[in-house]
Amino acid sequence: MLKIIDRYILKSHVGPFLFAFVTLIFVLILQFFSTFADRFIGKGIGFSTILELIVLQSAWMVGLAAPMAVLVAVVMAFGSLTTTSEMTVFRASGISLYRLMVPVLCAGLFLSVLVERFNNIVLPKANYYATSMMVDIARSKPAFGLKENAFSTLVDGYSIFIRNSDERSKELRGIVLYDDSRTNYKSVVTAEKGRIDFTPDCQYLVMTLYNGEIHQVRQPDHKNYRNMSFAKECFVFESSGFGFVRSSGSRIRSGDTELSANELHLIGNEFMQRIEASRQRIHTSLENMESRMAHHRADVHRTRAEAFRSSKAIARAGGYVDRQLTQLDAELASIASNQSMYNRYMAAYHKKYALSLACFVFVLVGAPLGVLARRGGFGVGAAISLLFFVLYWALMIAGEKIAERGLLDPMFSMWLANIVMASIGIWLVVSLTRAVFNTSR
């Protein structure tokens, strides 16, 4: 009897889950395409290339849509059971809410495992190929990385503004170039038109400008202002500033989005080893400094010769202390930098597992919410689910920022959202069971 009920409950979840999952993926793809459509359409990029890029970019949407689809499905399914009085029949038969949730919890746990595998195997590769494709597009079309009527900071030390661009002629118009690459001079370059191309070896970008002016002022006193006009001027940048490489096929994976959990953990351990090595060097340096200071801590004798020798020893000791303090400052800066990178990679490591387990956690939240909603419509289910998912995502983002700033341990910060949602779900289930389900099974 219970097995039949379990199959019936699971069957009632399949339809809402698939509908919610496909709808969410579609909405996220539309949002992505609407954001980047102006950069693809009319740029001479083939439809198949755009479609492939959208498919690759949709990989990260799967990990986001699956937990929310679970929440929508559970709220709708349990709401439908309540609306059709089937929940009343179950309660009269002595079946508790706990027992009704067992098959859904098992399915949620199974889905969490699938999402975790997807996040660690498929998603890093998809992100890698998506980034590589963007690199390939940009390499074949250098102006692709420049937005119209907006400043682009794709070249280190420069801000580039273009009024508009012509894809056919590859001509840029209304160009403003801010040069912050030098500390002693600040320059602003304006030009009526220009173009940007790669050198034959793809190592450098050459921006050729026509009919413009160069305004230059010395920093920091803002003196020696110079204004120069030109009919034609060339500016050369390293192509690495745009994120371009010689061959995207041999590009090394980098960034937390292109790495699996195991790789993130290995990198985190490497940064922790650097931190421990710096701490050990600081400890050794302090011990050596204390030993040297104890050696030179002698009373100044009354004779002039001995006083002179003692003053020289004190001067040497002072110089030694200054050098050690400089070294200590460098080690402390290294610890701070490595700690920041450690927090970043470990936050990404725990995020992969925390977001995967959300499929299980949202079952705890969705089941009692569905019973309380008493309606199985998609609108109500989606509204309630959206509210709780926004809360969950806000906690996840806050935890990520807290972890990167080192305010809390990355593990606790990234699991905070799951802990809060699970606590809310357990409280709702217990409260609802005590108030409505007076059963022991």
Side-chain angles (χ1 to χ4, degrees):
M1 179 64 179
L2 290 177
K3 291 183 179 179
I4 297 176
I5 294 175
D6 291 344
R7 287 197 296 269
Y8 177 74
I9 292 176
L10 288 176
K11 186 178 179 181
S12 66
H13 282 76
V14 173
F17 172 78
L18 293 177
F19 180 73
F21 182 77
V22 173
T23 302
L24 289 169
I25 291 293
F26 181 72
V27 170
L28 290 173
I29 289 177
L30 281 182
Q31 189 273 335
F32 166 78
F33 189 72
S34 64
T35 302
F36 293 94
D38 59 332
R39 300 185 63 186
F40 297 116
I41 298 176
K43 300 294 185 180
I45 302 173
F47 176 77
S48 60
T49 302
I50 296 176
L51 183 61
E52 183 180 356
L53 184 61
I54 291 176
V55 171
L56 291 173
Q57 287 288 348
S58 64
W60 66 266
M61 304 174 190
V62 172
L64 185 64
M68 190 172 181
V70 168
L71 184 57
V72 172
V74 173
V75 171
M76 289 180 60
F78 276 85
S80 179
L81 292 175
T82 304
T83 302
T84 57
S85 300
E86 291 173 293
M87 193 67 68
T88 304
V89 175
F90 293 144
R91 183 178 59 183
S93 302
I95 303 176
S96 66
L97 180 60
Y98 301 126
R99 182 61 186 83
L100 294 175
M101 291 175 58
V102 169
V104 189
L105 287 171
C106 293
L109 186 60
F110 176 73
L111 188 61
S112 294
V113 175
L114 292 181
V115 173
E116 183 273 328
R117 290 290 81 196
F118 181 88
N119 288 342
N120 277 311
I121 298 176
V122 179
L123 184 58
K125 293 182 179 180
N127 289 335
Y128 170 77
Y129 288 120
T131 304
S132 298
M133 181 170 288
M134 293 290 288
V135 168
D136 292 337
I137 294 173
R139 288 185 63 182
S140 62
K141 302 177 182 296
F144 179 79
L146 301 176
K147 294 182 179 180
E148 294 182 354
N149 297 311
F151 282 98
S152 301
T153 57
L154 299 178
V155 179
D156 293 338
Y158 295 86
S159 296
I160 304 174
F161 177 92
I162 61 172
R163 189 67 66 183
N164 55 67
S165 61
D166 189 337
E167 177 62 27
R168 293 183 179 180
S169 63
K170 297 184 179 180
E171 187 177 75
L172 309 175
R173 302 184 185 91
I175 304 169
V176 180
L177 176 67
Y178 286 91
D179 181 3
D180 292 325
S181 59
R182 293 179 293 178
T183 58
N184 55 338
Y185 279 96
K186 300 295 181 183
S187 301
V188 179
V189 182
T190 60
E192 292 182 4
K193 60 182 181 179
R195 58 181 295 136
I196 184 169
D197 294 291
F198 281 100
T199 55
D201 59 1
C202 293
Q203 291 296 309
Y204 297 94
L205 283 167
V206 179
M207 176 176 279
T208 306
L209 303 182
Y210 300 93
N211 303 327
E213 295 182 344
I214 300 177
H215 304 267
Q216 191 176 75
V217 63
R218 192 177 69 181
Q219 297 288 339
D221 53 10
H222 300 289
K223 295 181 179 179
N224 293 347
Y225 170 76
R226 293 190 297 175
N227 182 12
M228 297 167 283
S229 300
F230 61 86
K232 179 181 178 180
E233 187 73 23
C234 292
F235 296 86
V236 181
F237 314 109
E238 290 187 3
S239 61
S240 59
F242 273 81
F244 307 137
V245 292
R246 261 185 98 85
S247 175
S248 60
S250 60
R251 186 175 63 88
I252 298 175
R253 286 191 293 165
S254 60
D256 49 49
T257 60
E258 298 180 7
L259 301 174
S260 65
N262 290 335
E263 292 167 333
L264 290 170
H265 193 265
L266 289 174
I267 295 175
N269 287 339
E270 175 66 25
F271 282 113
M272 182 54 66
Q273 291 175 6
R274 295 180 184 179
I275 292 173
E276 292 300 328
S278 294
R279 289 174 177 171
Q280 183 61 39
R281 286 192 292 269
I282 289 176
H283 180 72
T284 303
S285 179
L286 290 175
E287 287 185 342
N288 292 337
M289 187 164 56
E290 184 178 359
S291 176
R292 290 285 297 271
M293 292 300 296
H295 178 73
H296 292 286
R297 196 181 296 125
D299 294 333
V300 178
H301 295 283
R302 295 180 179 178
T303 62
R304 292 183 177 180
E306 291 178 345
F308 177 73
R309 286 196 297 269
S310 298
S311 63
K312 291 180 62 177
I314 292 174
R316 287 196 301 269
Y320 171 78
V321 170
D322 290 338
R323 291 191 298 272
Q324 293 300 311
L325 290 177
T326 302
Q327 182 179 351
L328 290 177
D329 288 338
E331 294 294 346
L332 290 174
S334 175
I335 289 176
S337 176
N338 289 324
Q339 185 68 52
S340 177
M341 297 301 296
Y342 171 82
N343 293 337
R344 172 188 169 187
Y345 281 96
M346 292 310 296
Y349 169 80
H350 289 288
K351 183 179 181 179
K352 288 183 179 292
Y353 293 106
L355 191 58
S356 303
L357 195 63
C359 296
F360 176 81
V361 172
F362 280 146
V363 175
L364 294 173
V365 178
L369 285 177
V371 175
L372 293 173
R374 298 183 180 276
R375 293 180 183 271
F378 179 77
V380 174
I384 296 176
S385 303
L386 180 62
L387 176 63
F388 275 84
F389 193 79
V390 167
L391 174 61
Y392 176 85
W393 198 245
L395 291 173
M396 182 68 73
I397 294 176
E400 191 171 9
K401 297 301 180 182
I402 290 173
E404 291 179 355
R405 294 178 182 179
L407 301 178
L408 283 177
D409 184 84
M411 182 178 68
F412 179 77
S413 299
M414 298 313 300
W415 285 95
L416 179 62
N418 284 28
I419 294 173
V420 172
M421 287 293 119
S423 301
I424 293 175
I426 293 173
W427 177 78
L428 287 173
V429 171
V430 173
S431 301
L432 186 62
T433 302
R434 290 177 178 177
V436 181
F437 291 82
N438 298 316
T439 61
S440 59
R441 285 193 295 168

